[in-house]
Structure formats: C-alpha cells, structure tokens
Amino acid sequence: MSPFKEDGLVWMNGQFVPWKEAKIHIASHVIHYGSSIFEGFRAYDTPKGTAIFRLHAHIRRLYNSCKIYRMEIPLTEEQFIQAVIETVRVNNMKACYIRPIVYRGYSALGVDPFPNPVDCAILVWNWGKYLGEEALEKGVDVCVSSWWRMAPNTFPALAKSGANYMNSQLIKMEALVDGYSEGIALNIRGHISEGSGENIFLVMNGKVYTPPLSSSVLPGITRDSVITLLKEMNIPVIEETIPREMLYIADEVFFTGSAAEITPIRSIDRIIIGAGKPGPVVKRLQKEFFAYINGEREDKYGWLTYI
Ligand code: PPE
C-alpha cells in the first residue's frame, strides 16, 4: 500500500495540484545535478487539534540552506509558513509528515544553475515510525558506517540539500544490507558525525554529549529541542568532538530527528549499549518531548503552531 495520500493535494509554486498531477519535466536541473533543498517535519494530532512542531525553525533552516546555494525563494518566509499551514489544512490531515522542497526547475541544462527558475513545492503524507514500529520503545541495532560524512568545504553539511542524501543513501544501504537498522557516519577525522538521517547523542556518567556543528552534522531542530529539554532537566550537555570508541562504552546512545523523533540505540556493531534497552535519560527525554507535543507542558518556546 502506498504511504501517500494519492487523492490529496500538493502545493506547487502557489497552486494546489492533485497529488497524481504534481510532476516536473525530466530536463529539470534538479534531476540531473541534485539541485534541491528540502525540509522535513511533523504535524501531530494533539488534544487541542493538529499542531506543527517547530514550523518556524524548519522554514528558517530552509531559507538558510537556500542562501548557501544562492537560491532565491520567490516567497517571504511568512508566506512560506502560511503555505505549509494551508497544505496541511486542505489535505485534512490530523497528523502528517511535511516535506517542503525548493529546487532548480526547467529551462536549461548544464552545471550553471542560474538560468533555471527556483521552484517550490510542499507535500504531506503519513509517515510512521522511521526506524521501525518498535524502535522508540525497544531501541535499534545499528553499525558504524564504512562511509564518511562529507569533508568540510565540500558539500556544506549545514545545508539540507538533496545532494547530501546521496551520501546518506550509501550509509543507509550498507547498514540495511548488513542487517542493521541504521548507520552512524564518522567525519573525515574519524570522529562521530551523525546517522544517515538523524543527529546522535551519548550519555555517560550523568552527562550528555553530542558532536558540534563542525563535525559535519545537520543542525537538527530535534537536536536543538533535546538540548533545550536537557537543560530544563539540569542535565549537562556537552557539544564536543567525540571519538568513535566512546559509542561502545556510553551508558546510553540515541538518535534525534523529525522523522526518527527520539530513538534509543540498543547495540552498535553488535556491542550492547548499557543495559541493552532504553536507559533512564532517553526515557525521560521521550516523555518530556511528547508531553510538549501533546500540550501537557506550557509551550513557552512557541514550538507548536496549531492549524
Ligand atoms: N541529520 C540528517 C542527515 C538528517 O537527515 C536529519 C533529518 C537530521 C540530522 C535531524 O534533523 P531534524 O529533523 O531537524 O531534527 N532527516 C529528515 C529526513 C529523513 C528522510 O529520510 O527523508 C527528517 O528526519 O525529517
């Protein structure tokens, strides 16, 4: 069964188009050269109605990614935010995953992207648990990838560009073929970077560690939310270069991401992490995270946008 809502609508350059007609030409620049920037985040079904989690932060990152690639979005950020809200509304989705994408469209081929229009689209669909149904409760078995994250000053890691996900696909495929749910990439210096589609955190002796942005990681919005929640819990968070082997001896390791939410890691390279089940810190974090989303905590950071 298709995960897509095929009778739904896609927002394309300001118009709503039936899902099945939301197409682009094969000569579009993006198809040949990977020239796209995208975002991904969730709308949740909460007791007070459908709420989008951290909409403004995601659209901010979309504009930042586009700035790096000299792509001028023909909408203001506020217009883009409204378009996202409208797309969730017209599709009557109580909860969904939201995927805005900005891409170099159809006009001329050749590496020079400038002759092409900067086109935009917003899609929504149902996306269940990213790393499997039981991932959040039981944790996942992962490996350290033989593929590295891109080197500094090659593909900018701070930009969420489609092209970066060719690297992610190598990491993901290798992990799946070898029987793991996900791979953890190191950076070119051999330090921990991130998962193919998630940031990573380690808990050791009551402190939480996560790689800094200079370790070739996406500046995750969930990463930022988790850092905020940990500070609220008075648990120290340290952003520093982390050696690979610290993964194996940590008390807890977990992934964060819009799709993955907060996913505990049970084993890495078949080495059991901690007690081999979600530990106290990740369990508390999951509880706080979903309490915010469900409106059980005051939304003091303005993380929820109700539809
Ligand atoms: N690192 C990478 C490489 C990444 O793709 C994501 C999100 C993150 C970190 C976490 O970022 P954030 O979502 O802002 O907390 N990956 C998105 C796309 C996954 C996909 O398979 O597509 C996501 O989680 O939506």
Side-chain angles (χ1 to χ4, degrees), residues 38-42 53 57-58 61 97-99 125 127 130 149-150 157 159-160 164-165 167-168 171-172 182 193-200 216-225 255-261:
F38 68 96
E39 269 305 321
F41 44 98
R42 289 182 187 266
F53 187 65
H58 281 280
R61 189 173 66 188
Y97 182 81
I98 304 164
R99 167 59 52 82
W125 70 88
W127 203 345
Y130 189 60
R149 216 70 185 121
M150 49 281 180
K160 195 170 171 67
N164 284 356
Y165 287 81
N167 173 263
S168 288
I171 296 162
K172 187 77 183 184
E182 182 58 290
S193 179
E194 61 181 347
S196 78
E198 312 86 358
N199 292 113
I200 193 163
S216 294
V217 305
L218 185 75
I221 312 292
T222 321
R223 176 184 183 275
D224 176 76
S225 309
F255 282 136
T256 65
S258 300
E261 297 168 316

